[in-house]
Amino acid sequence: MICLETQHFNLNRTLLLAIGLWPYQKSKLVRLQIILFFGILISFVTVQFTALITKKCTVNFIIKVFSTMIFFSVYVIMYNMFWINSHRVRNLLEQLQYICNELKDENEFNIIKKCGNNTKFCTLTCTVFAICSTFLVILQPIWPEILGIVLDINKSRIQSQAIHITTEYFVDQKKYFYLILLHINTVICIGATTLTATGTMLLGCAIHACGLFKIASYRMEQIMKIKMLKNVNLKDRTMIYNKKIFYAVQIHRKTIKFCEFLSSTFKGSFFLLVIITVISLSLNIYGIFQSISLGDKEEFLLHLLLASIILLYMFVVNYVGQEITNHNNYVYFTAYNSRWYNAPLQAQKLILFVLLKGSRTYYLNIGGMIVASLECFATLIKTSMSYFTVIYSMEDYLPIYVKLGSL
């Protein structure tokens, strides 16, 4: 028997525990931790929004603020998504554990164990990448102090390198520079952990769903490989065929149900994330071109980093959705290519049911509006580029609109 929590999702469990989002054992201290972390994330989005109220708003300034504010809103949505759906995340893991408890032979256990190894590898890779990226971002403004003996850089230079994100704290930012820097670094650490923990948890569930589809295909292949049935009477042959087909259909249906529960659990949050990531990608691409034209290297690196993270996240989500579709289609192809005509008549009818069911391609739905696939990824990129093109082409006219709106 495989315990998914301790054997396959142990690293995911550690990451979620670090930010208080593990759906089990919710103590008062954990609830306080959740409120504190969520408040820190909300506060950082708020101080970016207040900059629009207190400072003079030009078109470039508005786009600059929104390009970062919308990106950090993703942290808030992802954190809130797992917070309010903690009971559903627990049900998701329990469903997966229940299905794995019904595995039949060693080959099926090996398939699901391989999924667990892939989950741990992907989680470890994403965690190492997140730690390295966060470490470099946090150390970037204090490198001049660390290397002050070698690099003759004064404090004002350090401060100019540190804060690239427009904020308004209603205090003297030079005087409280290190407190503001602490707030920003805390948000980056919590946000990076949130994206890694929640993203890898969903990725792990999707990897296991692909493994369950593999098991359904494996069971379908084994139906027509039973040689000892030649010496068995027709009634017993029919019972054995029906039983094995039932096991194959059963795990396939449970896997479909698991995938549907996964997508429906976060339906509203996925819908917001799709909209926000498309808008954020468009604004950050515009920011990249704008910073190139102005020769601002720091702004260029900031927008490039944010756009790269969004692109990577969008690609992984849609690639996983495409893999789920491909593995589901393989169940249909396995049933279609098997020697179903050698089976008893009643068993042939059951296989025909599988063929009819599998003739309709299954897609992982995201937010109730799109399906996760590589085609969807291309569509989202195309949409983001279209919005960027509109903004860039209207660059000369936008200041006029802003002036007319302020009259």
Side-chain angles (χ1 to χ4, degrees):
M1 182 176 174
I2 297 174
C3 181
L4 296 179
E5 179 182 337
T6 58
Q7 296 180 18
H8 294 188
F9 291 99
N10 52 344
L11 183 55
N12 306 84
R13 177 178 177 273
T14 303
L15 291 172
L16 289 172
L17 280 173
I19 53 177
L21 293 180
W22 183 245
Y24 297 93
Q25 302 171 350
K26 292 285 186 180
S27 63
K28 292 183 179 180
L29 183 61
V30 171
R31 291 171 184 169
L32 180 62
Q33 178 189 12
I34 291 173
I35 295 172
L36 177 62
F37 283 8
F38 188 70
I40 291 174
L41 294 176
I42 284 285
S43 65
F44 191 65
V45 175
T46 304
V47 295
Q48 292 181 77
F49 181 77
T50 53
L52 296 172
I53 303 174
T54 58
K55 297 181 181 179
K56 184 178 179 181
C57 292
T58 62
V59 175
N60 290 333
F61 179 78
I62 293 173
I63 293 177
K64 177 183 176 181
V65 171
F66 271 95
S67 63
T68 55
M69 185 178 69
I70 292 176
F71 176 82
F72 282 97
S73 297
V74 175
Y75 290 166
V76 177
I77 295 173
M78 294 293 289
Y79 197 94
N80 184 67
M81 180 176 74
F82 264 64
W83 180 15
I84 64 177
N85 293 300
S86 60
H87 62 289
R88 288 180 170 267
V89 176
R90 185 170 60 249
N91 292 339
L92 197 68
L93 292 173
E94 290 173 355
Q95 279 189 32
L96 187 58
Q97 181 67 64
Y98 175 74
I99 297 173
C100 292
N101 289 342
E102 297 181 338
L103 299 183
K104 300 299 179 182
D105 59 40
E106 191 64 28
N107 289 328
E108 295 180 1
F109 280 108
N110 290 335
I111 292 174
I112 210 68
K113 285 179 182 178
K114 186 177 180 181
C115 292
N117 292 333
N118 291 337
T119 298
K120 288 187 284 188
F121 175 76
C122 292
T123 304
L124 182 61
T125 303
C126 293
T127 302
V128 171
F129 176 77
I131 290 174
C132 294
S133 301
T134 304
F135 189 73
L136 290 175
V137 170
I138 290 176
L139 286 184
Q140 184 264 340
I142 62 176
W143 274 123
E145 279 196 353
I146 297 174
L147 303 177
I149 300 176
V150 180
L151 301 175
D152 186 16
I153 302 176
N154 56 29
K155 184 177 179 180
S156 61
R157 174 70 181 279
I158 297 172
Q159 294 185 3
S160 67
Q161 288 185 356
I163 301 178
H164 307 304
I165 302 170
T166 305
T167 57
E168 179 54 69
Y169 286 87
F170 299 102
V171 295
D172 186 353
Q173 297 204 12
K174 292 184 179 179
K175 182 178 180 180
Y176 297 96
F177 167 73
Y178 288 104
L179 288 177
I180 294 173
L181 185 62
L182 176 63
H183 183 221
I184 295 175
N185 290 340
T186 303
V187 170
I188 292 173
C189 290
I190 296 174
T193 307
T194 300
L195 282 184
T196 305
T198 56
T200 53
M201 189 68 194
L202 296 175
L203 178 61
C205 290
I207 290 173
H208 280 77
C210 292
L212 295 177
F213 280 126
K214 280 185 179 179
I215 293 173
S217 302
Y218 167 75
R219 290 182 179 181
M220 196 65 66
E221 290 174 350
Q222 297 306 306
I223 293 172
M224 300 304 165
K225 291 184 179 180
I226 305 175
K227 299 180 180 179
M228 62 175 138
L229 294 181
K230 295 180 180 179
N231 300 323
V232 181
N233 62 58
L234 181 60
K235 183 178 179 180
D236 291 339
R237 288 181 62 192
T238 302
M239 288 180 61
I240 295 174
Y241 269 110
N242 290 349
K243 185 177 180 180
K244 290 188 173 293
I245 293 174
F246 170 77
Y247 286 144
V249 173
Q250 183 187 47
I251 195 170
H252 182 257
R253 291 183 63 183
K254 287 182 178 180
T255 307
I256 293 289
K257 185 178 179 181
F258 174 78
C259 293
E260 290 177 348
F261 184 76
L262 173 64
S263 59
S264 63
T265 296
F266 309 108
K267 184 177 180 180
S269 300
F270 283 159
F271 178 78
L272 283 176
L273 285 172
V274 170
I275 297 174
I276 284 178
T277 51
V278 169
I279 295 174
S280 181
L281 183 59
S282 303
L283 294 177
N284 279 289
I285 292 175
Y286 176 82
I288 290 173
F289 279 81
Q290 191 68 17
S291 57
I292 290 175
S293 62
L294 296 176
D296 192 337
K297 295 181 180 179
E298 295 174 355
E299 288 294 325
F300 170 77
L301 292 176
L302 174 64
H303 291 296
L304 181 63
L305 175 63
L306 299 184
S308 300
I309 294 174
I310 295 169
L311 280 172
L312 179 63
Y313 218 83
M314 288 171 60
F315 174 76
V316 170
V317 170
N318 286 282
Y319 178 79
V320 168
Q322 184 68 58
E323 283 295 301
I324 289 178
T325 300
N326 293 342
H327 280 82
N328 176 70
N329 290 340
Y330 187 72
V331 178
Y332 165 74
F333 293 140
T334 302
Y336 182 81
N337 292 325
S338 64
R339 297 180 179 180
W340 53 268
Y341 45 83
N342 290 333
L345 182 60
Q346 189 175 357
Q348 290 183 24
K349 292 179 181 179
L350 290 176
I351 296 177
L352 181 61
F353 173 78
V354 175
L355 294 174
L356 291 174
K357 193 75 176 177
S359 61
R360 292 178 296 177
T361 303
Y362 175 77
Y363 295 103
L364 186 65
N365 190 280
I366 299 180
M369 57 182 297
I370 60 174
V371 294
S373 62
L374 293 179
E375 183 180 356
C376 173
F377 173 70
T379 301
L380 292 177
I381 298 299
K382 183 178 179 181
T383 304
S384 299
M385 293 303 297
S386 299
Y387 291 156
F388 156 71
T389 304
V390 171
I391 297 172
Y392 196 79
S393 61
M394 296 181 64
E395 185 178 11
D396 297 332
Y397 301 99
L398 286 174
I400 300 175
Y401 298 149
V402 173
K403 290 180 180 179
L404 290 175
S406 62
L407 293 177

